[in-house]
Amino acid sequence: METKNENIKLIECPRDAMQGLHDFIPTEQKINYINQLLTVGFDTIDAGSFVSPKAIPQMRDSAEVFDKIDWQKSSSKLLAIIANQRGASDAVKFEQISYLGYPLSLSETFQQRNTKRSIATAMEDLSEIQGLTIANGKTLVVYLSMGFGNPYGDPYDAGFVQEFVEKLDKIDVKVISLSDTIGVSNPDNISWIFEQLIPEYSHIEFGAHLHSNPATIWEKVEAAYKAGCRRFDGAIKGFGGCPMAKDDLVGNMVTEDMVAYFNQNNIDLGINQEAFSEAQRLALEIFPGK
C-alpha cells in the first residue's frame, strides 16, 4: 500500500524525560544522546531548558549541551523551555535553537506550582517574550498545561480554553500545544477540544503533548489525529512526566507506539529506523532500571 505524507511532526522530548530524575545525568551523556536523536528524523528535539537550577537541577547544564551538540547536519529543529524573560533572553542567544517553549497553565494552582507566578503575570511576560522571540528570528511555542482538565477544582471547559487561545492569538502566537499534564485525557475529550479549536483558529498550529499509560496511547493519538492535530510530542520508552504536577508521574507518550500507529496507517514519518533503534538503546543507558 502506498504511504501518505501528511506532514506529521514528531517532537522528541529528552528534556521532559530527564528533568524529573534525581540523579544528575552527566553532560557528555546528554550530548551523546541528543546527537543520536538528531539523526533519527524527528521534526524537533526538545533538548533543554533555561530555568532556575534550583527548580530543575537536572537542566543546569542546558547551555553547555546546546553549545556542544552536533546540530548543523541535522534537519531536526531544536526547542528549549523557558519560564520567564530571563530564560528567554538566554535562549535566544543560541543560533541552533529554533523554538522557545513556554508553559502556561489553564489552572491557577498549577501555574503557581510550576513557575511560581500567577496566570495574569505569565500572560504579561508572554507578550514581552513574544517580542523578544520574533526579534531574534525564533518561534514561540506555548504549552497549555492542564489542557484537558485539572485535579484542583480550577475552572475548565471549552470556552475557558478558547479564552486563552484568543489571548495568545492577539500576540501572534503561531504554535500552541495542548498538554495533558497528569494523564486525565481520554479520546472523547481529546477529540472534543481539538475539534473546537482547529477549525476556529486554522492559522495556528495546534499540538498534542499528552501523558499516558501505555495501554491508552494508540487511542489518544488516533483521537488527536482524526480531529486534525498533526504535531505530537513524545519520549522514547515513555520516560518522564511533569515533576511539578504530582508524585506519581504519568509518563510521556511512548514515541515507539506513536511511530507504530502512523506506520500502520501508512503515513510516512521520515524516520531512519536504524538510527531510531540506536537511540532506543542509548535511552536504556540513560534511564537505568526502566
Side-chain angles (χ1 to χ4, degrees):
M1 187 177 294
E2 186 176 344
T3 59
K4 299 172 286 185
N5 185 349
E6 296 198 14
N7 295 316
I8 299 295
K9 296 182 180 179
L10 286 187
I11 288 73
E12 180 63 21
C13 302
R15 183 273 317 166
D16 200 357
M18 295 175 185
Q19 67 178 5
L21 295 180
H22 179 270
D23 294 336
F24 187 73
I25 300 168
T27 302
E28 194 62 32
Q29 195 171 16
K30 290 174 182 167
I31 292 167
N32 290 340
Y33 184 49
I34 293 168
N35 279 343
Q36 182 60 36
L37 293 175
L38 285 167
T39 69
V40 173
F42 296 114
D43 180 83
T44 301
I45 310 294
D46 174 359
S49 61
F50 292 86
V51 298
S52 167
K54 291 182 180 179
I56 309 290
Q58 187 65 249
M59 294 290 104
R60 65 180 183 261
D61 59 350
S62 285
E64 184 177 357
V65 170
F66 279 111
D67 263 334
K68 294 183 177 179
I69 53 179
D70 186 16
W71 58 276
Q72 291 91 342
K73 296 179 181 179
S74 176
S75 62
S76 298
K77 296 174 283 292
L78 292 169
L79 180 148
I81 295 293
I82 51 98
N84 51 38
Q85 293 181 47
R86 179 177 178 179
S89 296
D90 290 340
V92 296
K93 296 173 185 175
F94 289 81
E95 177 189 353
Q96 55 269 52
I97 294 175
S98 298
Y99 293 111
L100 272 61
Y102 185 95
L104 176 68
S105 182
L106 295 173
S107 157
E108 186 70 51
T109 303
F110 186 67
Q111 185 69 44
Q112 293 283 357
R113 289 183 65 168
N114 198 34
T115 64
K116 309 301 183 187
R117 63 189 57 215
S118 67
I119 291 174
T121 301
M123 288 299 301
E124 291 174 4
D125 282 352
L126 263 176
S127 183
E128 298 294 327
I129 290 169
Q130 174 70 320
L132 182 65
T133 302
I134 292 172
N136 286 274
K138 313 297 185 185
T139 300
L140 181 64
V141 179
V142 176
Y143 288 91
L144 284 179
S145 61
M146 299 293 168
F148 299 89
N150 66 80
Y152 311 116
D154 292 339
Y156 180 84
D157 58 36
F160 189 67
V161 178
Q162 284 187 298
E163 286 179 21
F164 275 73
V165 172
E166 189 65 32
K167 290 176 182 178
L168 296 174
D169 190 26
K170 287 180 178 178
I171 62 170
D172 204 27
V173 173
K174 299 296 188 186
V175 187
I176 299 173
S177 191
L178 275 291
S179 302
D180 179 16
T181 317
I182 53 172
V184 298
S185 63
N186 59 61
D188 288 340
N189 66 8
I190 291 170
S191 298
W192 171 70
I193 197 66
F194 282 118
E195 287 171 356
Q196 298 288 321
L197 296 175
I198 291 173
E200 181 74 17
Y201 301 93
S202 58
H203 54 288
I204 294 175
E205 179 182 359
F206 286 96
H209 183 102
L210 305 177
H211 290 177
S212 179
N213 64 58
T216 60
I217 289 171
W218 273 46
E219 61 190 44
K220 290 185 178 185
V221 173
E222 183 168 69
Y225 169 70
K226 288 187 174 180
C229 180
R230 295 296 183 267
R231 181 184 179 96
F232 294 85
D233 288 19
I236 287 174
K237 306 296 183 186
F239 296 130
C242 181
M244 300 300 183
K246 54 191 295 188
D247 291 332
D248 295 327
L249 297 182
V250 180
N252 283 294
M253 296 287 275
V254 178
T255 302
E256 295 92 322
D257 286 355
M258 291 197 293
V259 169
Y261 171 82
F262 289 116
N263 284 344
Q264 181 164 300
N265 285 276
N266 301 302
I267 296 170
D268 181 18
L269 299 171
I271 295 295
N272 180 317
Q273 190 56 55
E274 184 177 346
F276 189 29
S277 296
E278 176 62 13
Q280 292 172 64
R281 186 191 69 77
L282 289 177
L284 294 175
E285 295 180 0
I286 288 187
F287 306 97
K290 295 292 185 179

